[in-house]
Amino acid sequence: MVVASKYWKLVRLDATGRRKVEEIESAKAFFQSQFSALLSLAEMDDGTIQNRLLHLLHESDRSAVAESCLRCFISNKIEQICIQLEELFGKNHGFTRCDLFSFVLDEVSPKQIKNFQYKSLATEILETFDCHKGSFNSWIAKLVKHHRELNAFLLQHGVYLVSDWAILNDTNIKQLQRIFSEFHHLTPGEIQQFSLLLETYHAVYRRDRLKLRQAGGNGGQCLPPSNSQIAEMIAFFRAKSGIQLPAEKMMNQLREMADKLREYRIYIRGGMAKTEPLYNIDNLGLESNSQEEEEIEFLTGYRTAFRNCLDTGLESAISDRLKRHSRQKNYSSEQFIFGIHLFHCQQLSMSEIADLIGLEYQYQVSRLLKLKEFRADVRQRMLKCLHDYVLQQATAYTNPDILPQLEQKIEVALDEQITQLMNEAEAEAYNPNPRQQSLFSARLCHYLKQVLPK
C-alpha cells in the first residue's frame, strides 16, 4: 500500500547539516486532489502515481507542483537508500546514515552565477530519467549508488557498491592472475585453481547473459547464479579438473574470489587498504598483546582522522586564499571560490571557467587558482594534522621509550600516503574526464557545497 505522505514531505538537511522533514502544503493539496480516488484502492502502487506525475510535468499549469511531489518522493527514497547502506555496511565499516546524507540530500541549490547553476541530485534524476529504460525507483537507486562523492566516501571506508557476480562477470583471467600474484601474493597453484574457477563462471554465467542480450534484453543487474547454472558450473569444473565440488563449496569459492577482486578494486580506486605502508602495524612498533583488536581499533580511527585532516586542510587553505584575494585588485575571492568549484566539481576547462567568472583568458584562471600551490598548501596542513593525531594515538599502543624513533617512521609513512593522495589529484587535473573522482576533489566539492552562496 502506498505511503502517500512521501509525496508531500521533503527530507532535506538544514543549515546545520541535520536531517529535517518539511511538509509542502501545495504538494499535499495537489496530491490529495489528484489521487484521492486511486488511493482507496488496495492494489494502488507507486509506479502508477509516478507515471501520472511524470506526465503532468509537461502540463504548464501543473508542472511545478507535480515536480514538487516527485522531489519529495525522491528525497524519501534517497533517505531509505542511505539507511539501507548503513544497515548493510555501516557498523563494520565505521559510518552512519547521517554521514551519507551530507552527500546526496542536497536539494538546496546555490543561486545562479551568470549561466552557472548548481544542480541537486533530485534535479539530475528528473532530467535524465527515461521511462523506456526502467522504473523511476530503479533510476533513483542507480544515480544515488553511482554518486561520485558518495562512492568516494564509501571507498575510503572499504565499501565498493558492485555485486560479487558483476565483479566476476567483468574480470578476465589475465587480470585475475596479475591481481592474485602481484597484489594478494598467492601461490601458482592457488592462482591456477582460481583461474579455472573464473573460466567456469564465464563459461556458464557470462554465456547466459550474452544470450539474453542477443535476444533483445539489456542484461540488467548481475543476480546470483541460479541452481541450474551452479549445477552446470560444477559439471564444467569437474570435467576440467577432475574435482567434484558441492554446490555450497562452489558458491563459497566464487564469493571468496570476488572478495579478493573487490579488495583490489577498492585499493586502486583510492580506498584504504591493508597493504598501504601505514597499515603495517608492526612498522609502528605497537605491542603484540591483542594486536588484531588493537589494529582494528587503530585503523578505524585513522580512516576517520585521514578524512577529517583532509577536510581541515582544505578548509583552512581555502580560507587563507579567500582572505588573500579579498585584498587583491586583480582577482576577487568570489572568482576563486567559483573557479575552483567549476574546475574540480564540474570538470570544466580553464577557458570555459574564464567565461563564467568574468575573465578574458584561460591563463588568468590558472594564475587565479594556482592549483599546484593550493595542493602543496593542503598537503602541509594535512601532514601536520595527521602527524599529531597518529603520534598521540601511538602512545596508547606502544612503549614511550621508542616514541622518538617511532615518530620518524610515522612521518615517512604519512608522507607516502599524502603524496599518493596529491598525485591522484594532480593526475585528475590533467584529465578533464576522470573515470573516478579523486578523494581530494570529492572532499573539496563536499566542502564547497556548504560555502557557496545560497
Side-chain angles (χ1 to χ4, degrees), residues 61-314:
D61 58 331
R62 294 183 286 184
S63 62
V65 69
E67 181 177 326
S68 183
C69 290
L70 287 168
R71 285 181 181 274
C72 288
F73 176 83
I74 291 169
S75 72
N76 280 270
K77 181 70 174 177
I78 290 173
E79 179 187 34
Q80 287 305 308
I81 293 170
C82 291
I83 292 171
Q84 290 169 5
L85 290 172
E86 178 197 57
E87 292 173 346
L88 287 169
F89 308 111
K91 184 177 180 180
N92 291 332
H93 294 269
F95 64 84
T96 68
R97 65 189 68 179
C98 295
D99 295 322
L100 307 183
F101 289 162
S102 63
F103 298 104
V104 287
L105 282 178
D106 60 348
E107 185 56 21
V108 177
S109 302
K111 291 182 179 179
Q112 186 172 357
I113 303 297
K114 293 189 175 180
N115 58 334
F116 159 68
Q117 186 175 15
Y118 171 79
K119 288 184 179 180
S120 69
L121 178 56
T123 300
E124 182 183 356
I125 289 167
L126 287 170
E127 289 184 349
T128 57
F129 174 65
D130 183 345
C131 63
H132 301 295
K133 294 183 179 179
S135 71
F136 193 58
N137 277 345
S138 298
W139 188 245
I140 296 171
K142 180 176 181 179
L143 265 62
V144 171
K145 292 178 180 179
H146 284 77
H147 190 274
R148 292 177 63 180
E149 292 181 37
L150 178 67
N151 271 284
F153 173 85
L154 290 173
L155 282 168
Q156 282 300 307
H157 287 73
V159 177
Y160 179 51
L161 294 179
V162 175
S163 73
D164 290 344
W165 318 114
I167 290 174
L168 294 177
N169 189 62
D170 65 13
T171 300
N172 65 49
I173 292 175
K174 286 186 177 180
Q175 288 174 324
L176 177 137
Q177 291 171 343
R178 177 178 58 81
I179 293 166
F180 282 16
S181 172
E182 298 176 4
F183 185 77
H184 289 292
H185 307 293
L186 300 188
T187 66
E190 290 172 322
I191 294 172
Q192 182 179 5
Q193 178 140 340
F194 277 120
S195 297
L196 179 56
L197 191 65
L198 185 62
E199 180 186 350
T200 301
Y201 183 81
H202 286 174
V204 177
Y205 193 90
R206 186 184 276 181
R207 176 206 65 200
D208 289 350
R209 286 182 63 82
L210 180 60
K211 286 182 179 178
L212 181 61
R213 288 196 183 94
Q214 290 173 340
N218 61 9
Q221 296 182 354
C222 286
L223 300 174
S226 65
N227 290 337
S228 61
Q229 287 176 319
I230 289 295
E232 193 173 350
M233 289 180 198
I234 291 171
F236 184 96
F237 190 83
R238 183 181 64 244
K240 287 280 187 175
S241 66
I243 299 172
Q244 175 75 24
L245 289 179
E248 184 178 356
K249 190 168 183 179
M250 170 65 75
M251 286 292 285
N252 287 341
Q253 290 201 5
L254 289 172
R255 290 187 183 279
E256 180 186 353
M257 180 166 56
D259 284 343
K260 292 182 182 299
L261 293 169
R262 182 185 302 278
E263 184 181 346
Y264 174 75
R265 292 191 182 193
I266 290 171
Y267 172 72
I268 63 171
R269 285 164 171 78
M272 298 298 187
K274 64 184 181 183
T275 53
E276 293 184 42
L278 192 64
Y279 284 11
N280 187 338
I281 300 301
D282 291 335
N283 287 345
L284 294 181
L286 304 186
E287 300 291 347
S288 60
N289 294 336
S290 302
Q291 181 169 326
E292 183 177 351
E293 290 81 3
E294 290 177 351
E295 178 176 347
I296 293 171
E297 181 182 351
F298 180 83
L299 295 182
T300 299
Y302 176 75
R303 289 187 180 100
T304 302
F306 190 91
R307 189 183 77 247
N308 290 344
C309 286
L310 174 56
D311 290 347
T312 300
L314 287 165

